Amino acid sequence: MSQPLLEVRRLRKFFPIKGGFLQRTVGHVHAVDGVSFKLEKGETIGLVGESGCGKSTTGRLILRLLKPTSGEIRFDGHDLCRLGRRPMKAVRRDMQLIFQDPFASLNPRLTVGGIVGEAFRIHRVASGSELEDRTAALLKRVGLHAEHLRRYPHEFSGGQRQRIGIARALALNPKLIIADEPVSALDVSIQAQVINLLQDLKSEFQLSYIIIAHDLSVVEHMSDRVAVMYLGKIVEMAAGSELYVRPRHPYTEALLSAIPIPDPRQAKKRRILQGDVPSPIDPPAGCRFHTRCIYRQSDCQRFEPEFADIGGGHHVACPVRTGGRFIESPKEHY
């Protein structure tokens, strides 16, 4: 069996909370707490969940923009948690990020040529006329023009700015692109264009994607597998065709019930979750979803649900719905 491009094991990130006159640590925000998954070469995984569940933090941990509290991140044979600054710089050529906000992610003081060509200069890949030619070719590939090289970000629309961000991510021919809400800030009429562009680029450049989104319809269109996060943990993961037809975790069921149906003549039964999302500073014991779950039992409040394979690579953390088992809650490491 071939080695996966990316393997994440028990990944955790706890942000310290400082308080008092001496600014001592008085608590932690459990942003990501025990995330594990594999990404095969050429695969697209969608990472979904409501705001604050840890999706974007997970992406930044994988890219080592944030330092993990604990866990392992193996990318293309490299243990990223053990790499120093210089070897990590070399690995970053193969890992790139498309940001959510196409307005804030581009330096307003640089021209488009400077923004897209910056990666060539930093990694000493090209210079002079070669750099300009390669930058112009990238812009053409994402639907822009060579004459845009000398313009500034404020001269472009939101969709054009996101295309510039995509061109920047492609500059070094990466193996993995993490797209953090790549279309959420765009007009609906532009979203489909950008999604189709990402799909075309995947085939052309042999890319693997992690698509971070809260729009389940976008994830369904792009992803081979979908992972659902809740309060720092993955609660369900399956092939997109399986998860959208046969969700097993009650949180996934609630998310899918919120997807609007384009036909106004069809009625859809919504599953409205009761209560608010618990604080990540003091998450509930046992299953983190039990405070809002209609299926909860006494064991859900005391024990951690096992993230079990129920067949065909469909993993669910809900013993009540799947007949799995509960385990002792793991000890926390700061």
Side-chain angles (χ1 to χ4, degrees), residues 105-120:
S105 61
L106 303 180
N107 189 336
R109 294 180 175 86
L110 293 180
T111 63
V112 170
I115 292 169
V116 178
E118 190 173 23
F120 294 130

Side-chain angles (χ1 to χ4, degrees), residues 43-56:
E43 185 182 24
T44 298
I45 287 181
L47 198 57
V48 303
E50 56 197 332
S51 298
C53 70
K55 309 184 300 295
S56 295

Side-chain angles (χ1 to χ4, degrees), residues 100 102 157-160 162-163 166 181-200 211-219 221-222 260:
Q100 175 180 359
S157 66
Q160 289 175 318
Q162 195 63 297
R163 290 174 186 268
I166 294 171
E181 303 274 10
V183 298
S184 65
L186 305 179
D187 293 339
V188 175
S189 60
I190 305 299
Q191 289 182 4
Q193 298 177 19
V194 174
I195 290 171
N196 290 333
L197 173 63
L198 291 173
Q199 291 287 73
D200 293 341
I211 307 294
I212 298 170
H214 63 265
D215 189 335
L216 290 162
S217 58
V218 170
V219 172
H221 181 73
M222 297 187 65

